[in-house]
Amino acid sequence: MSTPTERADEMARLVVAAAHQENGRVVTSGLVDTVMKQHADTEHGKANAVSVRRLIRARAAAEGVRVVLTDDERYWAIREQLHHMDGDEVQALRDSIADGGDYDPRANDAVLIDAISMRLSRRLSPRRLHGVKPVSVRLWVKGPEPDAIGTLPEYAPHPAVIEALEILRAADMPLATVPGRVMLYRDWHGPQGPQGAFILPGAGRTLEVSWYIDGAHDERGMRSRDTRTVRAARNQALGDAAGAFRQAGWTVWRVLSRKTTTRCDLRVDVTPPPAEGPQASS
């Protein structure tokens, strides 16, 4: 059985190795916590966190890693990163935090907010920031993901998806907005939840069009007394969407449930018309 010092030394070695491999040779509090959680079921995972951090500092110079553990160390490391951003970039960062409101975790990051405020002030930058390269990892969390309007953000640039969304907009059909922020269950499944059409790529060139009503695209978890009304509304909406795509020359399949006694449309599968080939020359 290893001693407390041996356990802490092994855990410090693992954290430094993770910093080299995954964190741009920077040891942060988040990295220490993550590595210790990953090894919580092992003997060295039971090391004292204070001892682990002390040993990391002791070996940092020899290991070629930078330690950013305290608020003061993080403040100056953030200042270094902001120092290498122009004023417009820093202002855009502050604006994005303000736009995120209470749902943006960066708004509660006092160290980050203080660093941004000092960077945007008219005071001269401290001498310690000149000639210093910023750390290679971001020292603050990302802002909220963008809302998914009609499709997920990663699919939005696809030409077929763009055309399909335009067809739905031209038909005055609402597009479901899936918020990038976390929503409570009662907010998601209710009038505040997604409403309207939502598109995801299927097999090949096929796109799958579902229809959200009060945050749900199907009837699972719904009270039986509400099923009939919602089912009829979804069937109608998907039928209208199918008609819009047919009118635009797309191939359409309505996917129905086999588990209900009355008609229940699950989604509409659509495929764009084949691209016109080059005309043969005479």
Side-chain angles (χ1 to χ4, degrees), residues 14 31 54 87 94 128 139 145 155 169 194 225-226:
L14 292 171
L31 181 65
R54 176 176 54 79
R94 183 163 73 173
R128 65 185 290 174
L139 295 171
E145 295 294 326
Y155 301 133
R169 290 190 181 99
R225 66 186 181 186
D226 296 332

Side-chain angles (χ1 to χ4, degrees), residues 6-137:
E6 290 172 337
R7 290 196 294 268
D9 190 65
E10 175 61 14
M11 183 53 63
R13 185 190 69 80
L14 292 171
V15 172
V16 171
H20 278 287
Q21 296 171 6
E22 307 168 8
N23 216 46
R25 293 182 298 174
V26 181
V27 177
T28 61
S29 296
L31 181 65
V32 175
D33 293 342
T34 298
V35 174
M36 293 193 70
K37 286 180 181 178
Q38 289 173 346
H39 295 84
D41 296 333
T42 65
E43 184 180 358
H44 50 267
K46 297 177 175 60
N48 180 275
V50 175
S51 298
V52 173
R53 294 187 180 208
R54 176 176 54 79
L55 290 171
I56 290 171
R57 289 189 183 281
R59 62 168 60 188
E63 296 283 357
V65 298
R66 178 166 179 180
V67 177
V68 182
L69 296 176
T70 66
D71 281 349
D72 186 65
E73 289 169 336
R74 184 165 170 266
Y75 171 82
W76 285 108
I78 292 175
R79 286 292 303 273
E80 290 170 15
Q81 293 186 328
L82 299 177
H83 182 70
H84 287 77
M85 298 166 60
D86 63 39
D88 290 341
E89 290 176 317
V90 180
Q91 184 63 54
L93 173 61
R94 183 163 73 173
D95 291 344
S96 72
I97 295 173
D99 292 342
D102 295 337
Y103 299 106
D104 192 332
R106 297 174 299 175
N108 296 317
D109 187 341
V111 175
L112 173 62
I113 299 302
D114 191 23
I116 292 175
S117 298
M118 292 301 294
R119 170 65 176 81
L120 291 176
S121 69
R122 296 184 180 276
R123 303 182 190 181
L124 294 176
S125 297
R127 210 176 270 180
R128 65 185 290 174
L129 296 178
H130 296 297
V132 177
K133 292 183 179 180
V135 296
S136 57
V137 294

